[in-house]
Amino acid sequence: MDMLLNPLNRRHRLRHDIPVVPGAFPLIGHLPAIVCDLPRLLRRAERTLGSHFWLDFGPAGQLMTCVDLDAFALLRHKDVSSAVIEDIAPELFGGTLVVQDGGAHRQARDPIKAAFLPNGLAQAGIGELFAPIIWERVQAWRDRGNVTILRETGGLMLKLIFSLMGIPAHDLPEWHRKYQQLLQLIVAPPVDLPGLPLRRGRAARDWIDAQLRQFVRDARLHAPRTGLINDMVSAFDRSDDALSDDVLVANIRLLLLGGHDTAASTMAWMVIELARQPELWDALVEEAQCVGAVPTRHADLAQYPVAEALFRETLRVHPATTLLVRRALQDLQLGQRRIPASTDLCIPLLHFSTSAQLHEAPDQFRLARWLQRTEPIRPVDMLQFGTGPHVCIGYHLVWLELVQFCIALALTMHKAGVRPRLLNGVEKGRRYYPIARPSMTIRIGFS
């Protein structure tokens, strides 16, 4: 951890009577520690400074971070705003529904939200659409014998989301590469020179947007086609307050980003946990064989408690979204602190996801905590998807497709007499921000 913090900046300082975490670097702040070792940074800050402290996110500015459980309530608070997200990454999130509140947010969200609910997914036959794509991919893994897991899950998730959108699934590796470059806009220093992250991120965004504009034009020319893009274009065009194509393209770009990067990370971690804990694999195989088929509707998911528990526990231990940001519109009382209006806030989902106040033995990967529970799933149990007006629209979709993936993987590999095995270390090279993910070098063998 000390190597990731500035040794020349260890003086303790206060801002609005709240301590500032020492060790920030010029221009990039605490980003090295946030990106490479966020859990230890949060634990150290809580231990030495208390439950409220400032973290420096470099180009994104300083955010008041709270590890008190009261911070989770900010996601539903009427006096906080998501507009700060656009200030942090305007070229990535500008014009999208995640930066909007109130009526503007509902206007952008309403045309598409029904398509992502269980009934909408069932009516569109999304489960039936996804199943053969997943089967084909895991069978290819079986035939190859070993894979670089995050690269493979990223490709699979991109193909699934393209199928959902109704986009031709060509040149997927190029799309995946462009999205990796696009994410650099969140952490890129404000220096626009060839080869630097800001220039690469902007070029990637422009390339993606040009492709999406063509898809929108095609949707208007070929109305009978199916797919979420066609549905979105039709709904947006029928709206009383028609939104511009710039807004439509920005929101499609956001759905593609959220639909593949975060889910790909979760899928990769599921395979990693199955590889390093043989008893999890055995339990999953037993369940898959008992039912004998991949689910295609949410109504089927009750037959797969082990697969669902694996999905939920992976999200808890390895959340793809580790931080959410908001801005205080009024003075707030947060825990034992008064927070001034206009303060930018960081809500560390990773900290709460592994908090002893919320989970017994939080550092242990336990399916039993889900298999043995009797109460319904609470908002705090799915905090990786947020809550309140900005709860992730793709929650039900991800739940379905990741359970489908688990069962297809178990049936395919067990039939061949193989199981997943780790071929190298897990911890080195993992990242926690802007999207948390395992190392790109982790390889899984099937033998």
Side-chain angles (χ1 to χ4, degrees):
M1 170 58 70
D2 287 337
M3 297 290 291
L4 300 172
L5 296 172
N6 185 356
L8 303 179
N9 181 13
R10 298 301 172 91
R11 182 169 60 90
H12 288 272
R13 296 180 293 113
L14 296 176
R15 185 181 182 199
H16 299 307
D17 293 325
I18 296 172
V20 177
V21 175
F25 291 93
L27 297 180
I28 60 173
H30 296 108
L31 280 180
I34 292 169
V35 170
C36 298
D37 205 350
L38 179 61
R40 288 181 63 191
L41 178 64
L42 292 173
R43 287 195 298 267
R44 173 187 282 195
E46 182 183 28
R47 185 177 66 252
T48 59
L49 304 175
S51 60
H52 298 66
F53 46 83
W54 292 91
L55 284 175
D56 189 335
F57 284 74
Q62 291 191 338
L63 303 182
M64 202 293 294
T65 305
C66 177
V67 294
D68 190 292
L69 289 179
D70 286 347
F72 188 57
L74 292 173
L75 298 177
R76 289 180 173 271
H77 203 292
K78 64 181 179 64
D79 290 327
V80 302
S81 169
S82 300
V84 62
I85 301 173
E86 185 166 14
D87 292 345
I88 290 173
E91 297 184 82
L92 178 56
F93 294 117
T96 66
L97 57 87
V98 300
V99 305
Q100 298 165 332
D101 299 299
H105 178 79
R106 290 190 294 273
Q107 182 186 4
R109 186 182 177 106
D110 284 352
I112 57 175
K113 67 179 182 181
F116 286 93
L117 295 174
N119 284 343
L121 296 172
Q123 290 173 7
I126 299 305
E128 291 86 352
L129 175 68
F130 282 0
I133 299 172
I134 295 171
W135 277 113
E136 179 184 16
R137 184 59 60 102
V138 299
Q139 287 167 0
W141 296 357
R142 175 202 60 198
D143 295 342
R144 286 160 56 187
N146 66 82
V147 296
T148 302
I149 190 60
L150 185 58
R151 181 180 301 128
E152 290 294 324
T153 59
L156 171 56
M157 290 308 308
L158 198 56
K159 190 167 185 178
L160 291 174
I161 197 69
F162 271 39
S163 300
L164 173 70
M165 291 282 192
I167 299 175
H170 58 77
D171 205 14
L172 290 182
E174 181 70 1
W175 277 87
H176 189 62
R177 186 172 69 86
K178 294 296 186 184
Y179 263 104
Q180 294 303 310
Q181 294 172 349
L182 180 70
L183 282 172
Q184 295 177 8
L185 289 175
I186 300 179
V187 296
V191 181
D192 187 10
L193 292 174
L196 293 185
L198 183 61
R199 180 70 62 87
R200 291 198 302 269
R202 285 173 170 172
R205 181 204 57 204
D206 293 344
W207 184 91
I208 291 169
D209 286 1
Q211 307 297 314
L212 296 180
R213 287 183 190 281
Q214 185 59 52
F215 296 144
V216 169
R217 287 192 289 269
D218 290 346
R220 290 191 172 116
L221 289 172
H222 305 284
R225 288 185 180 177
T226 59
L228 187 59
I229 281 188
N230 293 69
D231 295 342
M232 288 178 66
V233 171
S234 177
F236 275 57
D237 288 350
R238 291 196 310 268
S239 172
D240 292 336
D241 300 310
L243 300 175
S244 71
D245 280 3
D246 288 343
V247 174
L248 179 57
V249 167
N251 280 290
I252 296 172
R253 185 201 325 125
L254 175 69
L255 287 172
L256 286 172
L257 176 64
H260 97 273
D261 255 2
T262 54
S265 174
T266 303
M267 185 182 286
W269 276 117
M270 292 168 80
V271 180
I272 292 166
E273 292 294 350
L274 289 169
R276 64 181 178 181
Q277 300 189 61
E279 68 278 6
L280 298 185
W281 176 254
D282 293 339
L284 179 64
V285 167
E286 181 180 357
E287 177 173 277
Q289 285 191 296
C290 180
V291 182
V294 170
T296 56
R297 300 173 304 159
H298 278 82
D300 303 329
L301 296 181
Q303 302 176 70
Y304 302 92
V306 172
E308 181 179 344
L310 177 62
F311 158 66
R312 296 194 182 281
E313 185 69 347
T314 302
L315 281 173
R316 186 190 71 80
V317 177
H318 306 291
T321 302
T322 55
L323 306 168
L324 291 176
V325 296
R326 295 291 188 267
R327 175 171 292 153
L329 298 177
Q330 305 288 339
D331 290 356
L332 301 175
Q333 191 69 28
L334 185 56
Q336 301 302 311
R337 296 278 189 171
R338 177 184 168 277
I339 308 301
S342 301
T343 299
D344 291 340
L345 307 164
C346 171
I347 304 163
L349 301 185
L350 176 64
H351 177 84
F352 301 133
S353 191
T354 55
S355 169
Q357 297 182 62
L358 296 175
H359 305 283
E360 182 182 352
D363 294 331
Q364 296 181 19
F365 194 98
R366 289 183 178 179
L367 298 192
R369 74 176 80 247
W370 305 101
L371 294 172
Q372 297 173 2
R373 66 184 290 133
T374 56
E375 68 272 19
I377 298 297
R378 305 164 298 170
V380 75
D381 295 320
M382 48 177 279
L383 58 82
Q384 298 82 5
F385 291 91
T387 189
H390 284 268
V391 65
C392 177
I393 200 170
Y395 167 67
H396 294 97
L397 176 66
V398 174
W399 176 10
L400 175 62
E401 64 193 354
L402 290 188
V403 171
Q404 286 186 302
F405 167 76
C406 287
I407 300 304
L409 182 73
L411 290 173
T412 299
M413 299 306 170
H414 182 72
K415 184 177 180 180
V418 300
R419 62 171 60 223
R421 302 183 191 278
L422 272 172
L423 300 182
N424 53 6
V426 170
E427 294 304 321
K428 186 177 180 181
R430 68 184 296 183
R431 294 291 182 264
Y432 294 92
Y433 180 82
I435 297 293
R437 57 172 177 80
S439 169
M440 291 291 292
T441 65
I442 295 176
R443 294 191 65 80
I444 298 289
F446 298 98
S447 60

